[in-house]
Amino acid sequence: MSLLSGLRGGSDVGFDSYGTFVPEHNPDPGPFLSETAVLTGTDHAAFHRLTMDLFDERGVYDMTFGYNLARLNLDHRHPDAGFRYGRETDDGSVLRAEFTPTTEFCPQSDTLTVGAFRAWNGLSDRHEYDLVRVRVSPGHHQSTSINDKLQQLETRYRKTGELRMDDKDESSDGSIPF
């Protein structure tokens, strides 16, 4: 087996199955999930299987590893990276999802979290939640600006049902070289 086959998602060696939840292969829940009922076991696995389908449909892929972003939770090489989920305790129709990237400088964190938000909320007829709120973990060096953007996107979605921000809000922030 080629080393690159695992990076491109071509082999299941070193990956958990979608039907399992292995706590030591998932990031610890962060502060965004602190006041939620964090999903574990079969609840986490079921939502994560659905996430794989939604991310496939909407093209939420990690270009560094060449696979569906949901697969990151299953990758043994990155046990502290991926998504964790929690139901809001005062409103069970709202799920929170916190993304922990593989590094604190992951250049795709903005794009990946916005893509995840749009996939979950744009295909909300496929799950039990009225809203999936998304944030990046505070360990990312741009977490404040990314989370501000996600909060603005969430507010607009709640008010209008629109998944896009105004064109001026989606323009490059200058941190991307092209």
Side-chain angles (χ1 to χ4, degrees):
M1 175 181 87
S2 161
L3 172 65
L4 293 178
S5 69
L7 292 176
R8 295 190 179 125
S11 170
D12 284 341
V13 174
F15 291 88
D16 297 320
S17 77
Y18 279 96
T20 61
F21 172 70
V22 182
E24 57 270 12
H25 294 165
N26 282 269
D28 291 331
F32 186 58
L33 303 180
S34 66
E35 296 182 20
T36 67
V38 175
L39 301 186
T40 60
T42 57
D43 291 334
H44 175 94
F47 190 77
H48 206 67
R49 273 192 308 276
L50 172 68
T51 293
M52 176 68 159
D53 293 340
L54 299 182
F55 285 8
D56 263 344
E57 191 167 326
R58 290 293 174 105
V60 184
Y61 280 78
D62 185 315
M63 299 315 292
T64 301
F65 301 115
Y67 57 57
N68 179 315
L69 181 58
R71 198 155 196 229
L72 181 58
N73 279 62
L74 311 174
D75 192 331
H76 296 180
R77 295 168 298 173
H78 306 289
D80 297 324
F83 281 99
R84 289 301 303 268
Y85 314 106
R87 272 188 207 92
E88 290 193 357
T89 53
D90 59 339
D91 185 353
S93 70
V94 177
L95 184 75
R96 292 185 184 197
E98 186 173 59
F99 175 65
T100 303
T102 56
T103 71
E104 65 189 60
F105 299 104
C106 174
Q108 297 182 77
S109 292
D110 183 324
T111 303
L112 293 172
T113 53
V114 168
F117 177 88
R118 290 178 175 160
W120 283 316
N121 291 295
L123 298 169
S124 61
D125 60 323
R126 307 260 296 276
H127 56 75
E128 64 188 277
Y129 301 102
D130 294 338
L131 174 67
V132 179
R133 300 176 66 199
V134 181
R135 299 294 187 272
V136 67
S137 68
H140 190 275
H141 78 288
Q142 292 181 325
S143 63
T144 300
S145 63
I146 293 170
N147 288 336
D148 286 348
K149 180 178 181 178
L150 289 163
Q151 187 170 16
Q152 291 171 11
L153 184 58
E154 176 187 314
T155 298
R156 179 178 170 94
Y157 176 69
R158 284 183 176 203
K159 287 181 181 177
T160 68
E162 295 284 324
L163 289 169
R164 291 184 49 91
M165 306 245 330
D166 294 334
D167 288 338
K168 66 180 176 100
D169 294 330
E170 291 199 285
S171 63
S172 173
D173 64 3
S175 65
I176 301 173
F178 46 91

